[in-house]
Amino acid sequence: MAAELARRTEAIRNAGPNTAAGRAAWRSAREPKARIRQLLGRMAPGLARCMYCGDNLGTDIDHFEPIARAPLRTFDWHNHLLACAFCNSNRKRDRFPCDADGSPLLIDPAREDPADHLRLLLASGAYSPLTPKGEATIEVFGLNTRPELVRARRLAFTVVRALLAEWQTRQEAGDAVAAAEIAAALTDLWQADVLRAVRKLADAPQLAPVVLGDRAWSALQRF
């Protein structure tokens, strides 16, 4: 596929390059897009969820650096992310904020750990920015202003806490099959950021029992 993507990039270069050429080439690339989407689905969190909001199904291929800004990156594999239609078409579109040095201010989840830029507040379901990049990402994708996202993260925390407690119960009962099913459910939970934030509580053993409760905390130490 690399050769095919390179060939299509060269065609855009010969056509301008410009935004119109990039967009026209992308619209007509049905087969490459299907293959790219399939590969991105394997990289996405949980059950092929949007790499930006982590909540909705990843239906679209997002160009991290928009075609309008970088038409020669239209077929650059490293510029592709799986996104939901809302994040891709309603929130981000051609937005690509940069700092004074021209460096991107959006988190690239394929290259960076979002936890380096964002802290998830489990009790509220909201994000707190740790860096200017985290702040810009929250704003562009509406991660705190879309009530369905905040509520879903809050509910997911309740589910994770309950599943951890149940996993502990099954382990103590010697029911390995049921424990494995619960572990698989936790791993596939589409709000992967919630499970990640819960796991990080292991670094705060004085705080974790207060946030999780004794049984879920006991489970987390063994999970």
Side-chain angles (χ1 to χ4, degrees), residues 58-212:
T59 55
D60 295 9
I61 300 170
D62 171 71
H63 290 86
F64 179 67
E65 192 170 6
I67 294 175
R69 173 186 166 96
L72 286 177
R73 299 199 68 193
T74 300
F75 291 97
D76 178 0
W77 162 251
H78 298 290
N79 196 40
H80 297 148
L81 295 171
L82 195 67
C84 67
F86 196 87
C87 281
N88 186 43
S89 301
N90 292 67
R91 296 295 311 193
K92 182 168 178 272
R93 294 181 290 185
D94 290 337
R95 299 173 71 184
F96 195 68
C98 295
D99 63 17
D101 297 327
S103 299
L105 275 175
L106 293 182
I107 300 169
D108 180 349
R111 294 171 174 266
E112 302 171 281
D113 185 347
D116 291 339
H117 303 279
L118 299 167
R119 177 186 293 123
L120 177 58
L121 307 176
L122 290 166
S124 67
Y127 276 113
S128 175
L130 299 175
T131 65
K133 185 172 282 194
E135 186 173 359
T137 299
I138 290 172
E139 194 281 322
V140 167
F141 293 101
L143 297 182
N144 285 343
T145 56
R146 293 159 62 184
E148 71 279 9
L149 296 184
V150 176
R151 184 165 180 262
R153 292 191 289 262
R154 199 167 59 240
L155 293 174
F157 174 49
T158 300
V159 171
V160 167
R161 200 169 39 183
L163 285 176
L164 281 172
E166 182 63 15
W167 181 84
Q168 176 77 355
T169 298
R170 297 296 182 180
Q171 285 282 353
E172 291 171 352
D175 190 346
V177 173
E181 289 178 350
I182 293 169
L186 280 165
T187 302
D188 276 345
L189 191 72
W190 51 85
Q191 279 91 1
D193 52 345
V194 174
L195 181 59
R196 178 80 184 278
V198 168
R199 284 184 181 276
K200 284 183 71 68
L201 284 172
D203 299 331
Q206 292 183 326
L207 175 65
V210 178
V211 176
L212 295 175

Side-chain angles (χ1 to χ4, degrees), residues 9-25:
T9 298
E10 192 59 25
I12 295 173
R13 190 189 308 278
N14 293 335
N18 52 54
T19 301
R23 286 180 170 158

